Amino acid sequence: MSLVTDAFVSQIAAVEPWPGNAALYQPMKSEQVLLSDNASCLAVQAFLKMCNLPVQVVCRANAEYMSPSGKVPFIHVGNQVISELGPIVQFVKAKGHSLSDGLDEVQRAEMKAYMELVNNMLLTAELYIQWCDEATLEEITQPRYSYPYSWPLNYFLVFQRKWEIKRKMKAIGWATKTLEQVFEDVDQCCQALSQRLGTQSYFFNKQPTELDALVFGHLFTILTTQLTNDELQEKVKNYSNLIAFCRRIEQHYFEDHDGSISSSIKLSKGPTLP
């Protein structure tokens, strides 16, 4: 299929109504998913809920290898398969659903800048902790990442992924950072987010945007995931408005009618949201 034909087919598919059988694929939650992947999956779930678009969460041990980009989550909508928050936001926008249409150009630019901050700081910190902190790597990352596979494939896949992450850390100047410096970066990111949020319910106006979904995904996951120490959680807990922000989205978008929290965001380990 040519690029022109492919673009035409994608455009036609994009304007079709959102189907009732749309599915979001992610790794196995209780046995496999890691902090960074869970944060990304939760951000997409939150975004789709904010758009009032139904999606069934499907857990697969090989979700990472099913994804067209090699990253989770990905959604299967009709004949389309789209992975990661950015492309999913664009796909949903093409179907007529957008959380940021009410923003002006300056606000859109600011929103994108804060989303870059979250990806560059929080996501990178999560990857660093998972793959570069030896205690976390040995106790959490290695057994969870290798869970679906038998030896020696499990050993090879962990080694390969660790090498990829360390190469990325070296490229962006994080390889020489200490764990304490990474925690400090997280604190600075949280401080910037806390100042921008202030006393508002959401980061822009009274309605959530893509930024709110992204921030919720990462902060909620950090707050509810048990690691080898509590330092990462404590950095977030220092900001009461961010805690309230996470609780607000959890209750509004993920709480069932009976008052219980949807099983799609429950983790196998970790405390409840403070």
Side-chain angles (χ1 to χ4, degrees):
M1 184 180 293
S2 69
L3 292 176
V4 174
T5 303
D6 186 55
F8 177 74
V9 171
S10 298
Q11 184 178 9
I12 294 299
V15 297
E16 294 177 350
W18 188 268
N21 62 346
L24 181 148
Y25 287 81
Q26 65 178 45
M28 307 293 290
K29 288 191 68 66
S30 60
E31 307 93 347
Q32 180 188 21
V33 72
L34 297 177
L35 175 68
S36 59
D37 288 340
N38 194 79
S40 298
C41 293
L42 185 54
V44 171
Q45 286 187 54
F47 168 72
L48 293 175
K49 285 180 176 293
M50 290 170 180
C51 291
N52 198 30
L53 296 174
V55 65
Q56 178 186 3
V57 177
V58 181
C59 296
R60 292 286 185 271
N62 62 339
E64 178 182 353
Y65 299 100
M66 294 169 64
S67 169
S69 68
K71 297 181 180 180
V72 292
F74 68 91
I75 60 172
H76 184 195
V77 182
N79 294 323
Q80 301 292 305
V81 178
I82 310 97
S83 61
E84 302 179 71
L85 179 61
I88 290 172
V89 167
Q90 293 304 313
F91 178 77
V92 168
K93 184 176 182 180
K95 286 185 171 293
H97 305 275
S98 175
L99 297 178
S100 53
D101 277 350
L103 304 184
D104 58 34
E105 291 300 320
V106 174
Q107 289 174 320
R108 285 197 186 96
E110 188 179 4
M111 181 190 73
K112 291 178 180 178
Y114 275 97
M115 292 181 74
E116 283 296 311
L117 175 67
V118 172
N119 287 323
N120 291 338
M121 301 295 281
L122 293 186
L123 177 57
T124 305
E126 291 161 2
L127 291 171
Y128 178 100
I129 293 167
Q130 290 169 182
W131 295 100
C132 300
D133 174 55
E134 290 301 325
T136 305
L137 176 64
E138 181 179 347
E139 295 181 30
I140 297 175
T141 306
Q142 185 169 328
R144 292 184 71 83
Y145 192 78
S146 63
Y147 165 78
Y149 312 104
S150 58
W151 192 90
L153 180 59
N154 58 353
Y155 174 84
F156 171 76
L157 291 176
V158 169
F159 176 83
Q160 181 185 52
R161 184 63 171 155
K162 177 181 177 182
W163 181 81
E164 290 172 354
I165 296 300
K166 289 202 169 186
R167 184 177 63 172
K168 175 181 178 177
M169 295 299 160
K170 185 177 180 179
I172 62 176
W174 280 53
T176 58
K177 289 191 176 188
T178 64
L179 190 58
E180 289 69 26
Q181 289 173 323
V182 171
F183 288 145
E184 188 59 34
D185 287 340
V186 170
D187 184 66
Q188 291 178 11
C189 181
C190 289
Q191 182 178 1
L193 292 172
S194 177
Q195 289 176 349
R196 180 61 184 86
L197 180 64
T199 59
Q200 302 176 111
S201 296
Y202 302 105
F203 284 97
F204 293 92
N205 303 324
K206 296 182 179 180
Q207 299 298 323
T209 64
E210 297 91 329
L211 174 62
D212 297 279
L214 180 64
V215 172
F216 171 76
H218 284 277
L219 295 188
F220 185 91
T221 302
I222 289 172
L223 288 166
T224 56
T225 302
Q226 183 176 334
L227 298 174
T228 55
N229 64 66
D230 298 332
E231 188 67 23
L232 186 62
Q233 285 183 10
E234 292 304 318
K235 293 300 182 184
V236 179
K237 287 181 180 179
N238 287 332
Y239 301 94
S240 58
N241 63 337
L242 295 182
I243 298 283
F245 166 82
C246 288
R247 186 183 295 112
R248 185 180 306 114
I249 292 180
E250 176 193 36
Q251 293 174 344
H252 187 77
Y253 292 102
F254 290 92
E255 192 172 83
D256 295 332
H257 294 299
D258 60 0
S260 62
I261 300 302
S262 170
S263 60
S264 66
I265 66 171
K266 289 180 180 177
L267 300 181
S268 59
K269 295 182 179 181
T272 57
L273 191 64

